[in-house]
Amino acid sequence: MSSAAEPMHDRQATLRDVANAHRPFEWGRWLLWAFVLAVGANFAWIVAWNPNFGWPVVAQWFTAESILRGLYVTLGLTVVAMVIGVVIGLLLAIARLSDDRLFSGLAGLFIWFFRGTPLLVQLIFWYNLSTLFPEISISIPFGPTLVSWHTNDLITPMTAAIAGLSLNEAAYMAEIIRGGLLSVDKGQSEASDAFGMTRARALWRVIIPQAMRSIVPPTGNQLISMIKATSLVSVIAMADLLYSVQAVYNRTFEVVPMLMVAVIWYLVITTVLNIGQGFIERYYARGERGATERMPVIAEATP
Amino acid sequence: MSRIATDTAPLVSARNVHKSFGHNEVLKGIDLDVMPGEVVVVLGPSGSGKSTFLRCINHLEAINRGSIMVAGEQIGYRLNGERLVKLSPRAIAAQRRQIGMVFQQFNLFPHMTALENIIEAPVGVHGHSRKEATDYAMELLARIGLTEKANAYPRQLSGGQQQRVAIARALAIRPKLMLFDEPTSALDPELVGEVLATMRDLAGQGLTMIVVTHEIGFAREAADRVVFMDGGLVVEEGRPEEVLANPSHPRTRLFLSRFIREAA
Ligand SMILES: Nc1ncnc2c1ncn2[C@@H]1O[C@H](COP(=O)(O)OP(=O)(O)OP(=O)(O)O)[C@@H](O)[C@H]1O
Ligand SMILES: [Mg+2]
């Protein structure tokens, strides 16, 4: 009995081994792919051959000097405002989380004000600061003045743009960073305390590296919003990317092709940032279970 | 018991320690002395204030009344003439540097390897050179039998291995005193033994230890003294063979009988 059953059993085992499984041909998915590709190709075709987009004009202006200068201003503003915004945002987040009522209150007030008012209005106020405060001085409260400046000497379109964008960004980053710091297990700061680390060292070595995992994705979001928010500075006569294309189409009336130039540049920057974000996220995922083995597993699963 | 220096001053000396969370008084006047080299096991039912007391010793919790001295220094305060003044966070951090702590949930730093976890405090807090700290860390890893896991991240280790690394991390600062808060409670039963073995080694080497645990066996074998806490008070203390075999207080008797029944 058993001698007859065994080969049968073996054969069953081989048949049932999932390693030899075949994938059923999925007609539905293939049709869907074909349909989407066809629609996409058709759309690209229509856009490419539509004379209204003025592709030759786009090509002609894409790397024109005035456009590149505007691009440079946009990138520069974004980087500077973002860096200042992250630094101030970090300080605000730490102040907001501190037990000190004064610090957390002041940070709360800052965040409330700069998130609660439109960025456009903030920019205009910064630009027109001299009408509110003709002079800025450092002095002892109600006492003598130590140093003073004419506001008009300090506030150029550039400084107004940087102040407006970075302080507004700081308010948003503060909340993102605070959320990140709160997401770290309480046991971590407890262990740091127990080892006699100072608060600053615990934040820097233990808490922030772990908070980064939840800080990075929304920060990428903020950065992309920031690139586009910089276009608001055209109202205070900063020649950013959008302002530069506007300057051209105000002369040539080629509105759509010039806007396409700006759109394509914005998309190029966003793409580069997305790739960079991916690398950063992978870096901060180290130590996660499977973070190191994940790559080969995927490579195996898709022959 | 010869390893305990009975003629010197106690390393830890808690007097009339009170601690409340809001209206909930958790510690109601704890008195406890721990001599250098002594291993004290704290037993007691859940909620009796064992963890809270342990956390007061390194000022993770501030006490409301009484005093705690460790190595001749009052924890969290300084006597300035006739006035007792609160220490700055920086000074409190300095006091904690002579006390090692092991947590129920390990609390290893997940973004650092086992080795990086162990050398973090010696290098970053105690100012030892990286080379010196790494050498000592490797020695500690060898002692707990985890040399080959030096470059593994905590999540790649089993619970027992993580807790042993956490013990090595606490030892790396060469503490005068080690605090253990239920170091085996988060472990699967088959992993408890390896951690207890490591702790028994330490006890044998003359390290001063205060251990909160539910492992009666460990108390029997490794403790010099067993302290039984209930309702925020020390209700009974003594040598393990006496307290465990012949508890005099009814609460201790009840607690132990439940354990012995569970073990059976
Ligand atoms: N941070 C806190 N805030 C408020 N109440 C707390 C806090 N920590 C502890 N308690 C309370 O203090 C009491 C004693 O807690 P503790 O953790 O010291 O008990 P335990 O003896 O360690 O118990 P277990 O064996 O369950 O760990 C409990 O009633 C608990 O609810
Ligand atoms: Mg406890």
Side-chain angles (χ1 to χ4, degrees):
Chain A
M1 264 296 258
S2 67
S3 55
E6 221 131 79
M8 262 307 276
H9 187 78
D10 262 9
R11 207 177 131 59
Q12 273 281 326
T14 319
L15 277 176
R16 294 221 171 257
D17 185 345
V18 295
N20 308 324
H22 295 264
R23 228 179 193 213
F25 192 75
E26 294 171 79
W27 284 104
R29 285 184 55 77
W30 280 101
L31 280 175
L32 197 59
W33 268 96
F35 177 72
V36 169
L37 287 177
V39 170
N42 189 238
F43 184 71
W45 181 265
I46 291 169
V47 170
W49 292 104
N50 185 334
N52 295 331
F53 280 99
W55 295 114
V57 181
V58 173
Q60 180 199 336
W61 283 98
F62 194 63
T63 53
E65 208 203 318
S66 72
I67 302 298
L68 290 184
R69 226 179 299 126
L71 177 70
Y72 181 72
V73 169
T74 290
L75 286 176
L77 263 183
T78 304
V79 169
V80 171
M82 199 65 197
V83 168
I84 299 176
V86 167
V87 171
I88 299 179
L90 176 64
L91 297 177
L92 285 171
I94 294 168
R96 191 106 176 78
L97 288 174
S98 86
D99 297 330
D100 193 311
R101 291 280 289 278
L102 179 65
F103 284 124
S104 77
L106 285 176
L109 195 67
F110 182 102
I111 294 166
W112 169 77
F113 182 81
F114 283 96
R115 283 200 312 174
T117 52
L119 178 55
L120 186 59
V121 177
Q122 287 174 31
L123 283 169
I124 294 170
F125 265 86
W126 281 111
Y127 189 51
N128 297 300
L129 197 65
S130 62
T131 58
L132 298 173
F133 305 101
E135 280 197 352
I136 294 177
S137 58
I138 297 178
S139 61
I140 295 161
F142 305 109
T145 301
L146 304 177
V147 217
S148 84
W149 299 273
H150 289 290
T151 307
N152 269 332
D153 298 342
L154 293 180
I155 299 290
T156 62
M158 177 63 107
T159 51
I162 290 175
L165 290 172
S166 58
L167 292 185
N168 183 76
E169 190 59 25
Y172 283 94
M173 282 310 300
E175 288 297 275
I176 290 173
I177 295 172
R178 187 170 71 97
L181 297 180
L182 285 174
S183 76
V184 178
D185 178 38
K186 241 185 119 337
Q188 294 290 310
S189 57
E190 208 153 76
S192 317
D193 283 349
F195 279 102
M197 289 191 199
T198 56
R199 186 92 195 101
R201 189 175 173 87
L203 275 170
W204 188 244
R205 291 285 303 170
V206 178
I207 312 298
I208 291 176
Q210 295 181 58
M212 287 304 270
R213 268 176 69 72
S214 53
I215 291 175
V216 170
T219 303
N221 226 3
Q222 283 300 111
L223 192 55
I224 288 168
S225 311
M226 170 67 98
I227 290 162
K228 292 174 293 173
T230 53
S231 63
L232 287 176
V233 301
S234 54
V235 299
I236 57 172
M238 271 290 280
D240 76 313
L241 180 57
L242 191 62
Y243 186 91
S244 307
V245 303
Q246 283 169 341
V248 174
Y249 69 60
N250 284 341
R251 278 184 283 117
T252 66
F253 303 107
E254 289 159 328
V255 178
V256 172
M258 289 317 293
L259 285 178
M260 288 311 290
V261 169
V263 163
I264 294 171
W265 271 121
Y266 283 122
L267 287 176
V268 167
I269 303 170
T270 307
T271 308
V272 171
L273 289 177
N274 279 341
I275 295 168
Q277 184 179 340
F279 279 108
I280 295 174
E281 280 177 21
R282 231 159 299 144
Y283 175 77
Y284 283 106
R286 75 193 191 285
E288 283 299 307
R289 192 185 278 282
T292 41
E293 301 99 335
R294 194 171 296 147
M295 303 276 253
V297 169
I298 288 172
E300 260 169 50
T302 50
Chain B
M1 301 296 116
S2 56
R3 61 192 154 93
I4 304 163
T6 39
D7 50 337
T8 54
L11 183 68
V12 180
S13 176
R15 287 285 168 276
N16 192 30
V17 171
H18 287 254
K19 170 71 190 175
S20 304
F21 294 107
H23 292 295
N24 179 15
E25 191 172 40
V26 176
L27 302 181
K28 298 175 180 162
I30 304 269
D31 288 299
L32 185 72
D33 279 343
V34 179
M35 300 311 266
E38 197 178 15
V39 176
V40 172
V41 168
V42 181
L43 299 174
S46 184
S48 57
K50 307 180 300 291
S51 300
T52 305
F53 177 60
L54 212 60
R55 293 159 52 79
C56 288
I57 294 176
N58 63 358
H59 208 271
L60 286 179
E61 303 284 358
I63 61 178
N64 303 119
R65 189 133 57 99
S67 69
I68 298 177
M69 309 278 293
V70 174
E73 274 185 58
Q74 181 164 4
I75 294 298
Y77 297 84
R78 172 173 62 89
L79 208 52
N80 189 5
E82 295 284 286
R83 287 176 42 178
L84 192 63
V85 248
K86 233 184 185 153
L87 287 176
S88 67
R90 205 162 267 281
I92 291 171
Q95 284 186 331
R96 287 176 176 144
R97 287 174 200 163
Q98 47 186 344
I99 305 172
M101 187 162 195
V102 175
F103 300 87
Q104 185 173 348
Q105 301 296 339
F106 328 138
N107 293 354
L108 287 174
F109 305 133
H111 59 301
M112 299 181 190
T113 63
L115 182 62
E116 287 166 349
N117 262 280
I118 297 173
I119 66 172
E120 178 58 28
V123 173
V125 180
H126 293 253
H128 298 175
S129 77
R130 181 164 284 270
K131 164 97 177 54
E132 183 193 347
T134 306
D135 287 348
Y136 190 46
M138 291 311 294
E139 192 185 317
L140 289 170
L141 280 170
R143 234 153 83 188
I144 58 173
L146 289 177
T147 305
E148 75 285 7
K149 297 289 186 188
N151 294 318
Y153 285 98
R155 286 198 181 88
Q156 298 162 342
L157 300 174
S158 75
Q161 291 171 335
Q162 287 187 53
Q163 191 60 301
R164 278 145 67 203
V165 171
I167 293 173
R169 177 177 69 161
L171 289 174
I173 62 170
R174 301 173 205 261
K176 286 185 183 153
L177 170 67
M178 282 280 279
L179 307 174
F180 293 85
D181 189 3
E182 303 201 27
T184 57
S185 295
L187 297 178
D188 289 340
E190 74 267 27
L191 300 178
V192 168
E194 60 187 67
V195 172
L196 291 181
T198 303
M199 290 169 61
R200 254 193 303 270
D201 281 350
L202 297 176
Q205 288 156 17
L207 189 65
T208 314
M209 299 170 33
I210 304 179
V211 184
V212 173
T213 184
H214 291 294
E215 297 293 331
I216 307 286
F218 176 80
R220 191 174 294 123
E221 292 162 42
D224 298 307
R225 186 151 47 107
V226 170
V227 171
F228 184 78
M229 275 178 71
D230 189 35
L233 287 168
V234 172
V235 296
E236 184 165 1
E237 62 178 302
R239 297 165 61 87
E241 53 274 27
E242 289 157 11
V243 174
L244 296 176
N246 255 325
S248 61
H249 197 280
R251 301 292 313 199
T252 320
R253 227 172 290 149
L254 183 69
F255 178 78
L256 288 175
S257 71
R258 199 176 312 141
F259 259 90
I260 288 154
R261 209 176 313 132
E262 262 170 35

